[in-house]
Amino acid sequence: DHKSLYVTFRISSGEKILNKNLMYSGLVSSLNTPMKMLVDTVEEKENEFIKRMNTQAQNWLLDKTIFTDVTGEDLGNKTTARDYLSLYTKATKNVDISGFLSTKSYEYNEITDKDGNARHYDDNTNLLFKKDNLSFNIINSKTGYLDEAGAGLAMIIEKKTNNKKFVIIAMGNP
């Protein structure tokens, strides 16, 4: 029911995990399947959830943004760098969301294991988290990728020299 493009989420039918671990998998590891699973826990019909996403975008005055699915896989999703900047900065004002997006790596166990492999572990998909001696600290970050759209990156960084913060939005990188 929750199959996605670029599927790498390892979970077997009948296994159970906490919703917060679905959030970690979706936001830190940028996995789409857990996000679809999470949406399914709060809304029976995905299209109703998408309507609420679009209403929120309108309320935030994101005039160039439209959502056609919950993960960003559908090519009907549209936004601009300016709208994405606004969406990202508003979303990261939420302490929980910012916490997920600032996580370098995480691990957890399934509540119910069916395949004898209950442990999950993953790293943040922003490879800069693994680099030492950067001139900045990463406050939080979100990546995304589609073959048709290329790689996307949003992150808030803080320069080590003067503690100034910057938001970086990169869209369409090969």
Side-chain angles (χ1 to χ4, degrees):
D1 289 346
H2 305 101
K3 196 161 186 111
S4 301
L5 294 174
Y6 317 109
V7 176
T8 58
F9 189 57
R10 178 195 48 78
I11 192 163
S12 298
S13 181
E15 292 182 330
K16 295 181 182 179
I17 60 176
L18 295 174
N19 283 350
K20 77 173 184 177
N21 294 326
L22 291 173
M23 286 292 284
Y24 275 112
S25 296
L27 294 179
V28 176
S29 303
S30 204
L31 299 177
N32 294 329
T33 299
M35 296 311 286
K36 288 183 174 191
M37 294 169 70
L38 187 60
V39 165
D40 197 35
T41 69
V42 296
E43 183 66 63
E44 188 175 320
K45 296 180 181 178
E46 190 173 291
N47 64 332
E48 292 299 318
F49 193 88
I50 295 165
K51 281 184 191 175
R52 290 204 319 264
M53 290 170 59
N54 283 309
T55 298
Q56 184 67 64
Q58 290 172 357
N59 291 342
W60 283 354
L61 304 176
L62 306 177
D63 300 332
K64 306 282 193 262
T65 299
I66 186 163
F67 298 105
T68 56
D69 77 336
V70 299
T71 63
E73 296 174 317
D74 188 85
L75 296 181
N77 291 296
K78 304 284 184 213
T79 195
T80 62
R82 184 171 302 284
D83 271 13
Y84 192 52
L85 168 67
S86 182
L87 174 96
Y88 189 74
T89 54
K90 286 178 189 299
T92 56
K93 286 185 188 333
N94 177 293
V95 173
D96 293 325
I97 298 296
S98 186
F100 288 119
L101 297 176
S102 65
T103 302
K104 293 181 183 181
S105 63
Y106 69 98
E107 54 187 283
Y108 63 93
N109 287 321
E110 298 163 351
I111 297 169
T112 304
D113 176 46
K114 299 284 187 177
D115 63 2
N117 198 0
R119 194 85 180 136
H120 290 257
Y121 180 87
D122 215 342
D123 291 323
N124 194 299
T125 50
N126 182 347
L127 299 179
L128 290 172
F129 269 119
K130 294 181 180 181
K131 296 210 180 259
D132 294 325
N133 301 320
L134 294 172
S135 62
F136 56 88
N137 294 314
I138 300 172
I139 305 298
N140 56 49
S141 164
K142 178 68 184 91
T143 65
Y145 179 81
L146 285 176
D147 286 340
E148 298 85 353
L153 171 67
M155 65 180 177
I156 299 173
I157 63 168
E158 182 178 58
K159 287 180 69 174
K160 291 178 180 177
T161 55
N162 60 11
N163 297 335
K164 284 189 178 182
K165 291 183 181 176
F166 298 88
V167 179
I168 296 172
I169 303 291
M171 300 170 73
N173 291 327

